[in-house]
Structures are given as C-alpha cells and as structure tokens.
Amino acid sequence: MTKKYFIFLILIATFGFLYNYDKFLPGDLIKEVIVESNIINSDKKTLNQVINKTIGKQAYKIDLRQIKKELEIDPWIKNTQVILKPPDTIIINIKEYDPIFLWNNLVYVDLEGNLIKSEQLILDDILELNSNIGSAIENYNNYLIIRDILDSIELNINKISRNNDVMTIDTGKYLFKLRFSQYKPKLYDFVSIYNQFINSQKNNSSKQIIDLRYSTGFAVQ
C-alpha cells in the first residue's frame, strides 16, 4: 500500500466520521426538563409541546436559542432563560407579563407600559380603562389620582371610561358621571359630604348613578 493511498483512506475515514459523528458519539440524551416558573396566563398546552419535544434528544443537538424563540411566541411571555445542565437536564425559567389593566377592551398593559396583545381577553377581575384621548399610561396616571381620592371613602374602581371631556367611573356600588376637566374638585366635593349622603339614602342594593356634571351639587338616579 503506497503512502498516498494510505493518506487517501485516512481522509475518507475522517470525512465519514465527521459526517456521521452522531452515530459514533451518541452523547447523553435529555431525560428531564425543569420549568422554574409559575405559569398563569400562558398557553400551557403549547408550552408543554415545545418543552417536551426535547426529551430523548441528544443534549449537544438541542438548539437552546430556538427553544427560547419558540417559547417567547406566546404573547404572555416576557422573557425566558433556557439552560443546559449536563449531562441530561434542561432548565427553563419563564417570566410572564404582569398586567395591571385592560386598555380600550383590546390589550392588557403592565406597569412598564408593555402592551400584551392576547388573542382572547382571559382576565375578568382586572381594572378596565377606556379613552379616546391620551395614551394608556396617561390614563392610568389619572386613575391613580382618582383611586387616591376615593380610597378615603373605601370605594374601589372597576372601570373608567372617557370620551373627550365626559368621564364615567364605575365603582360597582356607584357609577359617577362627570367632566374630565373638573373631576378632581368634583370628587373631592363628593367625598367631603359622603357621610351625609349615605345617611340620607334608603337601603338600596342596586347601583346608583351619581351625576357630578352640575355646576352646584349633583343628581342621583
């Protein structure tokens, strides 16, 4: 056997090994995926499909970035960390968005102003803000002012809607109607006489409409 022929055989064997190295070096198979997260709003079925398809795969073949990308398709997922823990475990940390209100019946919004565009409105017990003026965060800041005013008489806010200068505030017990340009003094006026107001009311379990748009006083329906 000539030297050139021997080198040729070595090259063929090397290329064959590199092309089929997974058969020669099978490596460790993924046996467990640990999810270190409390999944609340994300689509658990889809997440499990992405996660479980890594089971039984060779560890060195797992594309961690691709798993991260597929998981973050879910609109509720803010970010993920996918870590390979040798020899046979993958650890996934998922952080969901934490919405604080529903904006214009279309998207949820978190404290950082991130819009969560869920295909379905799945949260029932959440603040609702609607307005044809201003951004979501601007309207949320107005809500915080109103909340602080009404907290003094222990009224919680379920929904605030604004159409130009007309505003409604739904507390469950009362539905306030007022002008946005005057909402602070009008609410402070109502709070100041609230004890007299409730003492003058008969027992009424239905929601009362309180119209604060009058220049003096208010109307109750």
Side-chain angles (χ1 to χ4, degrees):
M1 181 182 297
T2 65
K3 184 177 180 180
K4 290 183 178 180
Y5 185 68
F6 178 75
I7 293 174
F8 176 75
L9 290 178
I10 292 296
L11 289 174
I12 292 296
T14 301
F15 284 124
F17 173 78
L18 292 175
Y19 186 76
N20 298 284
Y21 70 101
D22 56 329
K23 297 179 181 178
F24 294 98
L25 299 173
D28 294 295
L29 303 181
I30 296 299
K31 296 179 181 178
E32 183 180 19
V33 178
I34 300 174
V35 180
E36 296 180 339
S37 306
N38 183 21
I39 304 300
I40 299 175
N41 298 314
S42 301
D43 185 343
K44 296 181 179 64
K45 181 179 179 181
T46 301
L47 294 184
N48 286 332
Q49 289 175 348
V50 175
I51 291 168
N52 291 335
K53 71 181 183 179
T54 63
I55 299 294
K57 294 284 186 68
Q58 292 173 327
Y60 72 89
K61 278 190 170 183
I62 301 296
D63 188 338
L64 302 182
R65 291 183 180 179
Q66 180 62 26
I67 296 174
K68 173 182 172 67
K69 182 178 179 180
E70 291 181 21
L71 291 173
E72 291 179 353
I73 290 176
D74 191 305
W76 284 101
I77 294 181
K78 186 174 184 178
N79 57 61
T80 62
Q81 288 183 318
V82 185
I83 302 169
L84 176 62
K85 183 180 180 182
D88 56 12
T89 302
I90 290 178
I91 298 176
I92 299 178
N93 186 281
I94 298 175
K95 184 176 182 180
E96 287 188 326
Y97 287 104
D98 185 15
I100 54 174
F101 65 93
L102 174 63
W103 172 241
N104 280 339
N105 293 314
L106 294 174
V107 296
Y108 295 104
V109 185
D110 70 3
L111 196 56
E112 298 174 353
N114 294 307
L115 303 182
I116 307 159
K117 299 178 181 180
S118 176
E119 292 184 1
Q120 296 180 334
L121 302 180
I122 60 176
L123 303 181
D124 296 323
D125 188 19
I126 192 169
L127 171 68
E128 295 182 38
L129 300 179
N130 302 292
S131 178
N132 65 340
I133 296 178
S135 68
I137 294 302
E138 288 172 342
N139 281 270
Y140 181 72
N141 289 334
N142 288 325
Y143 154 77
L144 292 177
I145 295 172
I146 296 169
R147 184 194 65 182
D148 289 343
I149 297 173
L150 296 182
D151 269 351
S152 62
I153 53 176
E154 299 181 348
L155 291 180
N156 296 317
I157 300 170
N158 299 329
K159 182 177 180 179
I160 298 178
S161 297
R162 179 186 174 190
N163 185 2
N164 297 323
D165 196 40
V166 178
M167 171 184 279
T168 60
I169 304 170
D170 189 344
T171 69
K173 186 175 182 180
Y174 304 116
L175 178 67
F176 293 97
K177 292 184 177 181
L178 61 167
R179 299 194 182 282
F180 175 79
S181 55
Q182 298 178 327
Y183 80 83
K184 292 180 186 178
K186 287 296 184 179
L187 288 176
Y188 277 122
D189 286 345
F190 180 78
V191 168
S192 68
I193 56 91
Y194 182 66
N195 288 334
Q196 300 174 35
F197 170 72
I198 58 175
N199 289 333
S200 67
Q201 299 298 302
K202 297 179 180 179
N203 293 330
N204 191 342
S205 59
S206 60
K207 183 186 297 184
Q208 291 181 289
I209 299 175
I210 301 177
D211 195 333
L212 300 175
R213 290 174 293 179
Y214 294 87
S215 57
T216 58
F218 56 89
V220 181
Q221 299 177 20

